[in-house]
Structures are given as C-alpha cells and as structure tokens.
Amino acid sequence: MSSPAKRRDMDVMKLMMSDYSVETINDGLNEFNVVFHGPKESPYEGGVWKVRVELPDAYPYKSPSIGFVNKIFHPNVDELSGSVCLDVINQSWSPMFDLLNIFEVFLPQLLLYPNPSDPLNGDAASLMMKDKKQYEQKVKEYCDRYAKKDDIVNSKEEEESDDEDVSDGQCTSSDDETPGLDP
C-alpha cells in the first residue's frame, strides 16, 4: 500500500493546497512553518502565529512535533519554547489524523478550550483559573505585541534556534480530552 514517505508528501501537499501559508525549511518536506490565525470569537482572534512543524520519519505512525515560533499566552503552550501540550498530538495520535486536522481542528480547539489543569505555562493557567477577564486581557496583549503579520515575517532568528520550539511529548495528562473532539 502507501509508504509513510508517500503519505507524508501527500499530507504536506494537501496542507500547501489549502488556505494555509506553508514555508518549507531546508528544501524538504520534513520541516516547515505554517501561518496560523487565532480562532474567531476567542481572545486569540486577530492573532497570527508561525507554527513550526517537524515530521518524524515514521509519520503518520508517529505524531508530528508542533511549536509556536512567536509568543502566545496559553496554559498549554510553553511561553519560552513554544512547545504545545496537546493530548491528541502527544499521546493519542493516530495515523487516521493528518496535518489539516492539526490546523483546522486540534489547534483551534486548544485555543478555544485551554486546559489549565495540565499546564506548560503555570502563570497562564493560574491567571485563567483565578481571573478569567484578566487572563483574556493578557492574551489580547500578547496578540497585539507578538502575533501580528509583521511578527511572523520578522521571526527568522527565532526559527534558527535548536529543537526546543516544538512539542516533545513531555505533556503528561491523558485524562482530560479537549471538548468537541472525538478520538
């Protein structure tokens, strides 16, 4: 049947032919950046992020690594590295999922329904649980400061940092599913 390399190429091409802006790194299809817009009707609306994707050789049988290049204030995203704590990517990934699922469903759901009980950013989680209004205000401040179109165009230096900017499976929770997702 279909080899992992063919599947990877097909998934990346599907993503490139969608509405997402995809920029390959090192002329291959294993590493690339995707321009991602915050979901409507959320505090992230209007934000634009560059999301780094690294596909392992065993993709789609092994999950991709995902990380925000420019800063985002979110309980499940490490503020310094941009690495993402998302159960469906780190623990319950399935070859049935593809790259479009990540950008059309998983990341929007993560931003719409943060999980403060399993944080990578303790400050964001704490603020969200104590004062939701202040949390949303800080999210909007980060969007204004770090998540505009200019920020993703001018983030080349950050891109060249080591592999710390992607999810690494360090997220531990599998108890809390993201609302609205069926595994």
Side-chain angles (χ1 to χ4, degrees):
M1 294 267 176
S2 182
S3 72
K6 282 183 185 173
R7 166 67 191 272
R8 179 200 63 223
D9 294 353
M10 187 176 75
D11 281 4
V12 173
M13 288 303 168
K14 247 171 62 175
L15 190 63
M16 289 175 153
M17 292 182 337
S18 71
D19 292 337
Y20 295 97
S21 171
V22 178
E23 172 190 7
T24 58
I25 300 170
N26 301 327
D27 297 326
L29 295 181
N30 283 350
E31 288 182 62
F32 50 91
N33 293 317
V34 179
V35 175
F36 176 73
H37 295 265
K40 292 186 184 331
E41 299 179 22
S42 80
Y44 299 95
E45 184 174 5
V48 183
W49 290 271
K50 185 181 283 190
V51 176
R52 172 97 175 243
V53 178
E54 292 181 19
L55 299 178
D57 291 338
Y59 177 85
Y61 303 105
K62 190 170 184 295
S63 67
S65 295
I66 306 293
F68 285 85
V69 176
N70 45 326
K71 283 188 177 189
I72 183 169
F73 190 73
H74 190 284
N76 310 112
V77 179
D78 185 274
E79 188 175 358
L80 295 176
S81 71
S83 117
V84 175
C85 182
L86 182 58
D87 180 61
V88 75
I89 292 174
N90 293 319
Q91 276 104 25
S92 59
W93 177 260
S94 161
M96 292 179 0
F97 302 136
D98 65 15
L99 296 171
L100 275 175
N101 291 130
I102 292 171
F103 291 96
E104 291 182 349
V105 180
F106 304 150
L107 286 180
Q109 290 286 318
L110 178 73
L111 297 189
L112 287 165
Y113 306 105
N115 179 4
S117 63
D118 186 28
L120 280 176
N121 181 336
D123 293 342
S126 176
L127 187 59
M128 182 184 178
M129 290 191 292
K130 288 180 185 165
D131 188 343
K132 184 120 174 154
K133 250 188 159 88
Q134 196 177 348
Y135 163 79
E136 289 179 356
Q137 183 58 41
K138 188 149 185 177
V139 166
K140 289 174 183 171
E141 287 171 17
Y142 267 60
C143 287
D144 290 342
R145 186 179 229 171
Y146 304 111
K148 294 296 176 206
K149 199 79 167 159
D150 291 345
D151 297 313
I152 62 169
V153 173
N154 299 324
S155 59
K156 291 280 187 206
E157 322 79 58
E158 295 175 45
E159 214 174 275
E160 293 166 8
S161 67
D162 49 327
D163 292 342
E164 290 181 47
D165 62 346
V166 292
S167 59
D168 56 6
Q170 297 301 310
C171 175
T172 56
S173 171
S174 59
D175 301 338
D176 301 311
E177 293 295 319
T178 303
L181 290 181
D182 295 321

